């Protein structure tokens, strides 16, 4: 009896300590959950049953990190290095990483008939919305069915295109590809990504739809689903966020089509029909922002195309989605800030609305931190991956190759110019760190380890010369 009382007291004390820690900084829950999932994935992929050959710890860790962070960069050939069991492990890691740990855990809590606590809900909302008054169950009822239905449809379509495979292999490849496409991972079970299906319209269209849906933002899609009021036969007004996300996505895709067509007209598209070129252009325009799937050989592209891909990878997808980058809405806010300042306005205005200063400040901080992370990682890799004293001509400089890889890692895109497999151990660790920061979000990580500083006083103003 006495032991039971002591046990109850110990359990109560540990529970109170845990509550205190998580309530003080609930964002740390997400960071720790992702780190735990990456560690579990590393252990599973290191099992003898998961690989066709012994894989090193750094190889298993890199693959797990890339899958959980929905990036798609890899230091090994996924299709030949891992067995079917290993491939199923990667599918689970991609799904958990794409939807988010908090989505899965909150789903289990609700299914068990419990109500998630305040700290749990706060980090859940941070993944999908900035509105703190939306019920977690309502979000899940929109996200979970939408995700699995789309993946089921996509997997079924993929199944019809893998006719030359055995039944089990067709099922595995279909599920793997559907999850990878929707979550924007970029992994495939084919050695050259989807280059073998470059002129397959069914594969191209299906992949584009899955990539677009996965990178558009769950709540934005949920809002657009009810844009038309059938009862009153009118179009409902959507939020400013959804409008900017929609218009921004259209602008990025259209710009990608135009630029990619122009830069590759006399290179990659030379000697092909208009229909074939159109498929390649559309596929890369949809995929290159965040998915990392490619139907063309990336190193064969022109320098102009590669540089443009760096820009759109950096911009990325929409908030609350599986995609990465600084996000389209962030880039839009920064652009609108510049336009409004040029017009002499003190406030950032668009579409008859004023964007709050806090949101503008957050967008600037995201942009600045992203630039610092990318510049720092690029500089480190230029030191670790290039032999000391090596001289390169302007045409053979590895700078663009390294920058491309770093931005792809930060934006959790996964497109590669072939550098990842050549990286040293230090280089692989650097890329892993960049992937994790890109997936979590730099401000998210900063919030997890530091509290908000309260300004209690200001210093006297003194002007400086700029420009």
């Amino acid at each position: 009896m006495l032991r039971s009382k002591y046990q109850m007291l110990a359990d109560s004390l540990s529970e109170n300590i845990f509550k205190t820690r998580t309530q003080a900084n609930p964002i740390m829950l997400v960071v720790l959950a992702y780190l735990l999932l990456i560690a579990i994935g590393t252990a599973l992929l290191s099992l003898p049953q998961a690989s066709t050959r012994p894989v090193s710890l750094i190889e298993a860790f890199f693959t797990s990190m890339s899958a959980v962070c929905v990036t798609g960069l890899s230091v090994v050939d996924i299709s030949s290095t891992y067995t079917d069991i290993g491939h199923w492990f990667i599918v689970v890691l991609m799904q958990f990483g794409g939807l988010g740990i908090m989505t899965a855990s909150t789903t289990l809590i609700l299914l068990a008939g419990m109500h998630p606590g305040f700290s749990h809900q706060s980090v859940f909302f941070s993944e999908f919305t900035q509105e703190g008054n939306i019920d977690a169950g309502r979000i899940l009822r929109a996200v979970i069915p939408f995700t699995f239905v789309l993946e089921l449809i996509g997997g079924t379509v993929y199944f019809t295109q893998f006719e030359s495979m055995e039944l089990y292999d067709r099922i595995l490849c279909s599920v793997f590809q559907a999850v990878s496409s929707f979550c924007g991972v970029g992994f495939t079970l084919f050695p050259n990504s989807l280059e073998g299906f470059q002129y397959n319209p069914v594969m191209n269209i299906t992949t584009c739809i899955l990539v677009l849906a996965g990178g558009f933002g769950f709540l934005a899609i949920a809002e657009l689903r009810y844009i038309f009021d059938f009862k009153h036969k009118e179009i409902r007004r959507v939020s400013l966020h959804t409008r900017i996300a929609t218009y921004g996505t259209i602008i990025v895709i259209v710009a990608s089509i135009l630029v990619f067509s122009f830069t590759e007209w006399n290179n990659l598209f030379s000697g092909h029909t208009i229909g074939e070129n159109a498929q390649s252009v559309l596929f890369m325009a949809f995929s290159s922002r965040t998915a990392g799937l490619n139907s063309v050989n990336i190193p064969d592209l022109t320098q102009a195309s590669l540089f443009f891909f760096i820009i759109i990878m950096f911009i990325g997808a929409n908030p609350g989605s599986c995609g990465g980058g600084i996000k389209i809405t962030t880039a839009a806010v920064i652009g609108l800030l510049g336009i409004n300042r040029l017009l002499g306005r003190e406030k950032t205005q668009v579409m008859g609305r004023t964007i709050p200063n806090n949101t503008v400040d957050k967008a600037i901080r995201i942009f600045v931190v992203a630039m610092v992370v990318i510049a720092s990682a690029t500089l480190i890799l230029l030191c670790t991956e290039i032999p000391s004293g090596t001289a390169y001509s302007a045409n053979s400089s590895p700078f663009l190759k390294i920058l491309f890889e770093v931005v792809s890692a930060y934006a959790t895109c996964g497109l590669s110019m072939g550098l990842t497999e050549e990286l040293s151990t230090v280089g692989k660790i650097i890329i892993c760190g960049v992937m994790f920061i890109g997936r979590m979000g730099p401000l998210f990580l900063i919030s997890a380890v530091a509290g908000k500083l309260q300004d209690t006083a200001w210093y006297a103003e003194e002007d400086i010369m700029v420009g």
Side-chain angles (χ1 to χ4, degrees):
M1 184 70 178
L2 184 61
R3 183 177 180 275
S4 177
K5 289 182 178 180
Y6 279 121
Q7 185 64 39
M8 291 174 61
L9 179 61
D11 292 342
S12 176
L13 181 62
S14 62
E15 183 179 356
N16 288 335
I17 292 175
F18 178 77
K19 283 183 177 180
T20 301
R21 288 179 178 176
T22 54
Q23 286 175 358
N25 198 349
I27 298 176
M28 182 61 76
L29 281 173
V30 178
V31 177
L32 294 177
Y34 270 94
L35 289 174
L36 178 61
L37 181 60
I38 291 168
I40 293 174
T42 302
L44 292 175
L45 294 176
S46 298
L47 295 174
Q49 298 84 351
S51 59
T52 58
R53 62 166 178 81
V55 295
S56 64
L57 180 62
I58 187 63
E59 289 175 336
F61 175 72
F62 195 101
T63 304
S64 178
M65 176 70 76
S66 186
V68 173
C69 295
V70 293
T71 304
L73 293 174
S74 179
V75 294
V76 297
D77 181 12
I78 297 296
S79 59
S80 61
T81 302
Y82 295 103
T83 63
D84 291 347
I85 296 176
H87 293 151
W88 284 117
F89 286 156
I90 294 174
V91 169
V92 175
L93 293 174
M94 290 190 299
Q95 190 73 84
F96 272 77
L99 288 181
I101 305 298
M102 302 314 296
T103 312
S105 59
T106 305
T107 302
L108 294 176
I109 289 174
L110 292 175
L111 288 176
M114 297 181 290
H115 185 73
F118 176 77
S119 62
H120 199 122
Q121 291 194 54
S122 65
V123 290
F124 178 82
F125 294 138
S126 67
E127 292 198 6
F128 297 103
T129 178
Q130 293 180 345
E131 298 292 335
N133 57 352
I134 299 179
D135 179 58
R138 178 185 173 189
I139 297 178
L140 287 173
R141 284 191 293 272
V143 172
I144 301 299
F146 171 77
T147 298
F148 289 126
V149 166
L150 264 185
E151 288 179 349
L152 177 61
I153 295 174
T156 303
V157 176
Y158 285 138
F159 184 84
T160 64
Q161 302 303 302
F162 302 147
E163 296 178 349
S164 60
M165 300 180 182
E166 298 292 335
L167 178 60
Y168 177 80
D169 292 334
R170 290 179 71 181
I171 295 175
L172 173 59
C173 282
S174 300
V175 174
F176 191 100
Q177 193 59 55
V179 174
S180 178
S181 298
F182 181 84
C183 295
V185 182
F187 280 155
T188 71
L189 295 183
F190 306 100
N192 298 318
S193 190
L194 296 181
E195 292 180 29
F197 301 92
Q198 183 176 1
Y199 304 122
N200 184 322
V202 176
M203 286 287 293
N204 289 334
I205 294 173
T206 303
T207 303
C208 287
I209 292 174
L210 289 175
V211 169
L212 178 63
F216 194 79
F218 299 113
L219 292 183
I221 291 177
E223 189 174 5
L224 289 176
R225 284 174 56 193
Y226 303 103
I227 189 173
F228 188 77
D229 186 350
F230 290 95
K231 183 177 180 180
H232 300 93
K233 295 182 179 180
E234 62 182 8
I235 298 178
R236 293 190 178 99
R237 179 187 175 278
V238 297
S239 65
L240 179 63
H241 165 79
T242 299
R243 282 182 284 170
I244 291 180
T246 303
Y247 295 145
T249 300
I250 294 173
I251 290 172
V252 171
I253 291 176
V254 171
S256 300
I257 292 173
L258 296 177
V259 173
F260 193 47
S261 299
F262 177 76
T263 56
E264 295 298 329
W265 188 258
N266 294 320
N267 179 45
L268 200 65
F269 300 152
S270 179
H272 296 282
T273 65
I274 295 178
E276 292 174 342
N277 290 338
Q279 291 189 62
S280 299
V281 169
L282 288 174
F283 185 93
M284 294 308 298
F286 277 84
S287 175
S288 57
R289 291 183 305 125
T290 183
L293 297 167
N294 57 284
S295 62
V296 298
N297 189 27
I298 300 299
D300 290 343
L301 300 178
T302 63
Q303 299 283 296
S305 295
L306 293 172
F307 181 68
F308 180 75
F309 279 169
I310 289 175
I311 296 174
I312 60 176
M313 284 192 300
F314 180 75
I315 294 174
N318 286 325
S321 72
C322 297
I326 65 171
K327 302 299 187 291
I328 287 178
T329 50
T330 303
V333 169
I334 294 174
L336 291 169
L337 172 64
I339 293 173
N340 279 271
R341 290 298 185 271
L342 289 175
L343 295 176
R345 296 172 182 163
E346 292 185 3
K347 298 290 186 178
T348 306
Q349 303 175 24
V350 62
M351 301 179 190
R353 291 290 184 270
T354 297
I355 300 176
N357 287 334
N358 288 339
T359 302
V360 176
D361 291 341
K362 182 180 179 181
I364 294 174
R365 282 181 285 154
I366 290 173
F367 176 80
V368 171
V369 175
M371 293 296 293
V372 170
V373 172
I374 291 173
S376 301
T378 302
L379 180 60
I380 294 173
L381 291 180
L382 286 171
C383 295
T384 62
E385 306 307 310
I386 299 177
S388 179
T390 304
Y392 292 94
S393 64
N395 294 329
S396 62
S397 174
F399 171 74
L400 184 63
K401 191 174 184 179
I402 291 177
L403 178 62
F404 190 95
E405 215 80 6
V406 171
V407 174
S408 179
Y410 182 85
T412 66
C413 177
L415 289 179
S416 175
M417 293 181 64
L419 176 66
T420 305
E421 296 181 2
E422 304 171 0
L423 291 172
S424 63
T425 301
V426 175
K428 293 172 184 175
I429 294 174
I430 295 298
I431 290 296
C432 283
V434 174
M435 286 192 291
F436 188 74
I437 294 173
R439 177 56 179 143
M440 293 291 97
L443 297 184
F444 196 82
L445 286 176
I446 293 173
S447 300
V449 297
K452 183 178 179 181
L453 296 177
Q454 299 293 333
D455 294 329
T456 56
W458 291 266
Y459 294 106
E461 290 186 358
E462 183 174 350
D463 206 358
I464 62 173
M465 296 178 64
V466 294

